Amino acid sequence: MGIALMKQFGWKADLRNPNLEIFIHLNDMYSVVGIPVFRVPLASRAYIKTAGLRSTIAWAMASVAEIKAGTFVLDPMCGLGTILLEAAKEWPDVYYVGADVSNSQLLGACDNLKAAGLKDKIELLKVSVIELPLPSESVDIIISDIPFGKKFKLGKDIKSILQEMERVLHVGGTVVLLLSEDHHRHIKDCEGGSIPLKSKGSHTHVRGTEKCLIPDEKTGISETVPSSSEPRNQECLDKVPRFGSLVPVECYKVSLGRTDAFICKYKKSHSSGL
């Protein structure tokens, strides 16, 4: 495409100091072409001292959760607190709690809260995600980036993590998770396969679009892409695994740069009995 533009318009490529930057995303279904409006990447936040999860992804996860005033929002693996920071900036009248087992991560999160002026808005706890000091069915919304990559090897521990989330979430509550493909597989192994979204107890309605968030490192572009057919959309959503009383609602594929992940939204359909 670069060669075609140079031939068509006589432009010269300059990777160090370009006059115009063009973003192009291609896959088997569609293409997206964009021009950055700002020089500063959308993921760059002046109020975040130490960056963790990309801010555009964190904001998207909080947006998918549909946070309402007065709710109790928990991130049981908060890390540097990026998700809670983005949520608290956009939806301030909410009780936020972040938990993590790592001292270094909590110290970084505390620094971020101070830098953002949100220390009194978000409470931090040093606890394990599988032993949360919360009553059963006491949380309205759980939003969390399930760690993956070389540094974190959760393996089949994902089952115990989801069980504890399921326990503290009240019926009708929402869980929004950032999952790798490996996490998808582990959840399916725990449950014995995917559950069709049209099964009994599911609150999901098939829509005529496939939703994809593709935040580029510099532009943060996101779009809703028309689906070529409803069956294709249903097939895509059917791949979202169900776990216990957590019923899949929708799934968004996102780019993390070198790898892809999925923002998966669940609703708790009934009491888990845990």
Side-chain angles (χ1 to χ4, degrees), residues 110-138:
C110 189
D111 288 342
N112 280 337
L113 296 187
K114 290 178 182 177
L118 293 172
K119 193 174 180 182
D120 61 336
K121 289 283 186 181
I122 302 172
E123 184 177 352
L124 297 177
L125 303 174
K126 184 186 177 183
V127 294
S128 169
V129 63
I130 60 174
E131 295 178 343
L132 297 171
L134 297 169
S136 297
E137 301 190 4
S138 60

Short mmCIF file of all heavy atoms in Angstrom, two decimals, residues 110-138:
data_model
loop_
_atom_site.label_atom_id
_atom_site.label_comp_id
_atom_site.label_asym_id
_atom_site.label_seq_id
_atom_site.Cartn_x
_atom_site.Cartn_y
_atom_site.Cartn_z
N CYS A 110 -0.78 2.64 43.94
CA CYS A 110 -0.92 3.74 44.90
C CYS A 110 -0.32 5.03 44.34
O CYS A 110 -0.91 6.11 44.46
CB CYS A 110 -0.26 3.37 46.22
SG CYS A 110 -0.59 4.53 47.55
N ASP A 111 0.84 4.91 43.70
CA ASP A 111 1.47 6.09 43.07
C ASP A 111 0.58 6.65 41.96
O ASP A 111 0.46 7.87 41.81
CB ASP A 111 2.84 5.71 42.50
CG ASP A 111 3.88 5.47 43.60
OD1 ASP A 111 3.66 5.92 44.74
OD2 ASP A 111 4.90 4.83 43.29
N ASN A 112 -0.03 5.76 41.18
CA ASN A 112 -0.92 6.20 40.11
C ASN A 112 -2.15 6.92 40.66
O ASN A 112 -2.61 7.92 40.11
CB ASN A 112 -1.34 5.02 39.24
CG ASN A 112 -0.27 4.61 38.24
OD1 ASN A 112 0.59 5.41 37.88
ND2 ASN A 112 -0.32 3.37 37.80
N LEU A 113 -2.70 6.39 41.76
CA LEU A 113 -3.87 7.01 42.38
C LEU A 113 -3.53 8.41 42.87
O LEU A 113 -4.32 9.36 42.70
CB LEU A 113 -4.39 6.17 43.54
CG LEU A 113 -4.92 4.77 43.21
CD1 LEU A 113 -5.55 4.15 44.46
CD2 LEU A 113 -5.94 4.81 42.10
N LYS A 114 -2.36 8.57 43.48
CA LYS A 114 -1.95 9.88 43.97
C LYS A 114 -1.77 10.85 42.81
O LYS A 114 -2.21 12.00 42.87
CB LYS A 114 -0.64 9.75 44.75
CG LYS A 114 -0.77 9.05 46.09
CD LYS A 114 0.59 8.93 46.77
CE LYS A 114 0.50 8.19 48.10
NZ LYS A 114 1.85 8.01 48.71
N ALA A 115 -1.10 10.39 41.75
CA ALA A 115 -0.85 11.24 40.58
C ALA A 115 -2.14 11.68 39.91
O ALA A 115 -2.24 12.79 39.38
CB ALA A 115 0.05 10.51 39.58
N ALA A 116 -3.15 10.80 39.94
CA ALA A 116 -4.43 11.11 39.30
C ALA A 116 -5.40 11.83 40.23
O ALA A 116 -6.50 12.22 39.81
CB ALA A 116 -5.08 9.81 38.80
N GLY A 117 -5.02 11.99 41.50
CA GLY A 117 -5.91 12.64 42.46
C GLY A 117 -7.12 11.79 42.81
O GLY A 117 -8.19 12.31 43.11
N LEU A 118 -6.93 10.48 42.80
CA LEU A 118 -8.06 9.56 43.03
C LEU A 118 -7.84 8.65 44.23
O LEU A 118 -8.49 7.62 44.36
CB LEU A 118 -8.29 8.69 41.78
CG LEU A 118 -8.78 9.41 40.53
CD1 LEU A 118 -8.78 8.48 39.33
CD2 LEU A 118 -10.19 9.97 40.75
N LYS A 119 -6.91 9.03 45.11
CA LYS A 119 -6.60 8.17 46.25
C LYS A 119 -7.81 7.95 47.15
O LYS A 119 -7.96 6.88 47.76
CB LYS A 119 -5.45 8.77 47.05
CG LYS A 119 -4.85 7.80 48.05
CD LYS A 119 -3.63 8.37 48.74
CE LYS A 119 -3.06 7.35 49.74
NZ LYS A 119 -1.89 7.88 50.46
N ASP A 120 -8.70 8.94 47.25
CA ASP A 120 -9.88 8.80 48.10
C ASP A 120 -11.06 8.16 47.38
O ASP A 120 -12.11 7.94 47.96
CB ASP A 120 -10.30 10.18 48.63
CG ASP A 120 -10.67 11.15 47.51
OD1 ASP A 120 -10.18 10.95 46.38
OD2 ASP A 120 -11.44 12.09 47.75
N LYS A 121 -10.88 7.83 46.08
CA LYS A 121 -11.97 7.25 45.29
C LYS A 121 -11.83 5.73 45.13
O LYS A 121 -12.80 5.05 44.83
CB LYS A 121 -11.99 7.88 43.89
CG LYS A 121 -12.46 9.32 43.85
CD LYS A 121 -13.96 9.41 44.00
CE LYS A 121 -14.45 10.83 43.80
NZ LYS A 121 -15.92 10.93 43.96
N ILE A 122 -10.60 5.23 45.30
CA ILE A 122 -10.34 3.81 45.05
C ILE A 122 -9.61 3.21 46.25
O ILE A 122 -8.58 3.71 46.67
CB ILE A 122 -9.48 3.63 43.78
CG1 ILE A 122 -10.18 4.25 42.57
CG2 ILE A 122 -9.19 2.15 43.53
CD1 ILE A 122 -9.32 4.29 41.32
N GLU A 123 -10.16 2.13 46.78
CA GLU A 123 -9.53 1.44 47.91
C GLU A 123 -8.72 0.27 47.41
O GLU A 123 -9.18 -0.51 46.56
CB GLU A 123 -10.61 0.95 48.88
CG GLU A 123 -10.05 0.30 50.14
CD GLU A 123 -11.14 -0.11 51.13
OE1 GLU A 123 -12.31 0.25 50.91
OE2 GLU A 123 -10.80 -0.79 52.10
N LEU A 124 -7.50 0.12 47.93
CA LEU A 124 -6.62 -0.97 47.52
C LEU A 124 -6.45 -1.98 48.65
O LEU A 124 -6.29 -1.60 49.82
CB LEU A 124 -5.25 -0.42 47.13
CG LEU A 124 -5.21 0.53 45.92
CD1 LEU A 124 -3.79 1.04 45.69
CD2 LEU A 124 -5.73 -0.16 44.67
N LEU A 125 -6.48 -3.26 48.29
CA LEU A 125 -6.33 -4.34 49.27
C LEU A 125 -5.26 -5.31 48.80
O LEU A 125 -5.17 -5.63 47.61
CB LEU A 125 -7.65 -5.12 49.42
CG LEU A 125 -8.91 -4.34 49.82
CD1 LEU A 125 -10.10 -5.27 49.77
CD2 LEU A 125 -8.75 -3.74 51.21
N LYS A 126 -4.44 -5.80 49.75
CA LYS A 126 -3.49 -6.84 49.42
C LYS A 126 -4.11 -8.19 49.80
O LYS A 126 -4.07 -8.61 50.95
CB LYS A 126 -2.16 -6.65 50.15
CG LYS A 126 -1.14 -7.70 49.73
CD LYS A 126 0.15 -7.65 50.52
CE LYS A 126 1.07 -8.77 50.08
NZ LYS A 126 2.33 -8.82 50.85
N VAL A 127 -4.69 -8.85 48.82
CA VAL A 127 -5.32 -10.16 49.04
C VAL A 127 -5.19 -10.98 47.76
O VAL A 127 -4.94 -10.45 46.68
CB VAL A 127 -6.83 -10.02 49.39
CG1 VAL A 127 -7.01 -9.34 50.73
CG2 VAL A 127 -7.59 -9.28 48.31
N SER A 128 -5.38 -12.27 47.91
CA SER A 128 -5.36 -13.17 46.75
C SER A 128 -6.71 -13.15 46.05
O SER A 128 -7.76 -13.08 46.70
CB SER A 128 -5.03 -14.59 47.20
OG SER A 128 -5.25 -15.51 46.15
N VAL A 129 -6.69 -13.25 44.74
CA VAL A 129 -7.92 -13.26 43.96
C VAL A 129 -8.78 -14.47 44.26
O VAL A 129 -10.00 -14.46 44.04
CB VAL A 129 -7.59 -13.19 42.45
CG1 VAL A 129 -6.82 -14.43 42.02
CG2 VAL A 129 -8.85 -13.04 41.61
N ILE A 130 -8.18 -15.53 44.80
CA ILE A 130 -8.97 -16.73 45.11
C ILE A 130 -9.41 -16.78 46.57
O ILE A 130 -10.05 -17.73 47.01
CB ILE A 130 -8.19 -18.02 44.76
CG1 ILE A 130 -6.88 -18.11 45.53
CG2 ILE A 130 -7.95 -18.11 43.27
CD1 ILE A 130 -6.14 -19.41 45.34
N GLU A 131 -9.08 -15.72 47.34
CA GLU A 131 -9.51 -15.63 48.74
C GLU A 131 -9.92 -14.20 49.05
O GLU A 131 -9.34 -13.53 49.91
CB GLU A 131 -8.38 -16.09 49.68
CG GLU A 131 -8.01 -17.55 49.53
CD GLU A 131 -6.86 -17.94 50.45
OE1 GLU A 131 -6.15 -17.04 50.94
OE2 GLU A 131 -6.67 -19.15 50.68
N LEU A 132 -10.92 -13.72 48.37
CA LEU A 132 -11.37 -12.33 48.54
C LEU A 132 -12.13 -12.18 49.86
O LEU A 132 -13.04 -12.96 50.14
CB LEU A 132 -12.27 -11.92 47.37
CG LEU A 132 -11.59 -11.91 45.99
CD1 LEU A 132 -12.62 -11.69 44.90
CD2 LEU A 132 -10.51 -10.83 45.93
N PRO A 133 -11.79 -11.17 50.68
CA PRO A 133 -12.46 -10.98 51.98
C PRO A 133 -13.78 -10.24 51.83
O PRO A 133 -14.02 -9.21 52.45
CB PRO A 133 -11.43 -10.14 52.75
CG PRO A 133 -10.77 -9.32 51.70
CD PRO A 133 -10.71 -10.19 50.46
N LEU A 134 -14.65 -10.78 50.98
CA LEU A 134 -15.93 -10.15 50.69
C LEU A 134 -17.06 -11.16 50.85
O LEU A 134 -16.88 -12.35 50.54
CB LEU A 134 -15.95 -9.59 49.26
CG LEU A 134 -14.95 -8.48 48.94
CD1 LEU A 134 -14.91 -8.23 47.44
CD2 LEU A 134 -15.30 -7.20 49.68
N PRO A 135 -18.23 -10.70 51.31
CA PRO A 135 -19.37 -11.62 51.42
C PRO A 135 -19.82 -12.11 50.05
O PRO A 135 -19.59 -11.45 49.03
CB PRO A 135 -20.46 -10.75 52.07
CG PRO A 135 -19.75 -9.57 52.65
CD PRO A 135 -18.55 -9.35 51.80
N SER A 136 -20.45 -13.25 50.03
CA SER A 136 -21.00 -13.77 48.78
C SER A 136 -22.06 -12.82 48.24
O SER A 136 -22.83 -12.23 49.00
CB SER A 136 -21.60 -15.16 49.00
OG SER A 136 -20.61 -16.08 49.40
N GLU A 137 -22.08 -12.67 46.93
CA GLU A 137 -23.06 -11.85 46.21
C GLU A 137 -23.11 -10.41 46.74
O GLU A 137 -24.18 -9.84 46.95
CB GLU A 137 -24.45 -12.51 46.28
CG GLU A 137 -24.45 -13.91 45.68
CD GLU A 137 -25.85 -14.49 45.51
OE1 GLU A 137 -26.83 -13.78 45.77
OE2 GLU A 137 -25.95 -15.66 45.09
N SER A 138 -21.94 -9.81 46.92
CA SER A 138 -21.86 -8.44 47.45
C SER A 138 -21.37 -7.42 46.43
O SER A 138 -21.41 -6.22 46.68
CB SER A 138 -20.93 -8.40 48.67
OG SER A 138 -19.62 -8.83 48.31
#
